[in-house]
Amino acid sequence: MRRLTCLFISLLALAAASVPARADFVRDFAAWQKLGPDGQAAYSMALFDVMTVTFSDDPFTAARSVGLRTCALTLQIKAANVAQAITKFYADHPQARRATPFVAFNGYIERGACAPFINKARAEMGLPPMKPSPLPDDPQP
């Protein structure tokens, strides 16, 4: 079972990395719930992985990647932790249940738990600190 989960995570990460803009097949909280715990862990870790391996000439993107990697190592973040953070975001912000898991990731991981690490990387690169992310409004259908 562990090998199957690792294979699934690897395939999902490759799929997300090859087309990051289309990693939105989980479009909202309802779709997130349908994934179940293993699917949520795989999806969230693939999302995290894509955000940490982005190579770009853009210093803001590079600082985010460095900060997220440092955060993951320091806090020993596991796939289940990221999935729990995404689920907690939806629970804490029911008005955002139509938002994608990326919005939840951005709110509670990138601009939440990992913000100090990202801001440190930004400071070392001479960049200003991140601004807090605004909470998403409930988009109208």
Side-chain angles (χ1 to χ4, degrees):
M1 181 65 178
R2 184 172 170 93
R3 281 188 174 184
L4 182 60
T5 301
C6 288
L7 175 63
F8 179 71
I9 291 170
S10 297
L11 291 174
L12 189 58
L14 286 173
S18 64
V19 189
R22 294 301 306 156
D24 67 347
F25 64 90
V26 180
R27 295 180 186 264
D28 58 17
F29 178 66
W32 175 254
Q33 285 183 304
K34 288 178 185 176
L35 288 176
D38 289 340
Q40 289 171 352
Y43 184 92
S44 61
M45 204 53 173
L47 180 60
F48 194 95
D49 288 346
V50 166
M51 299 296 285
T52 61
V53 297
T54 302
F55 292 99
S56 172
D57 289 336
D58 177 44
F60 293 96
T61 302
R64 181 188 65 214
S65 296
V66 168
L68 284 172
R69 283 193 302 268
T70 304
C71 177
L73 292 170
T74 303
L75 301 180
Q76 298 181 349
I77 293 176
K78 309 280 190 264
N81 303 126
V82 179
Q84 289 169 352
I86 290 171
T87 299
K88 182 161 177 35
F89 178 90
Y90 284 127
D92 291 349
H93 306 286
Q95 77 280 8
R97 290 190 173 186
R98 290 188 182 173
T100 65
F102 174 77
V103 171
F105 173 88
N106 184 270
Y108 273 19
I109 299 293
E110 183 176 348
R111 293 180 189 261
C114 293
F117 301 95
I118 296 169
N119 282 332
K120 183 175 184 224
R122 287 175 72 130
E124 290 171 358
M125 295 178 174
L127 302 171
M130 287 188 303
K131 295 178 183 173
S133 64
L135 292 178
D137 293 329
D138 187 7
Q140 298 302 313

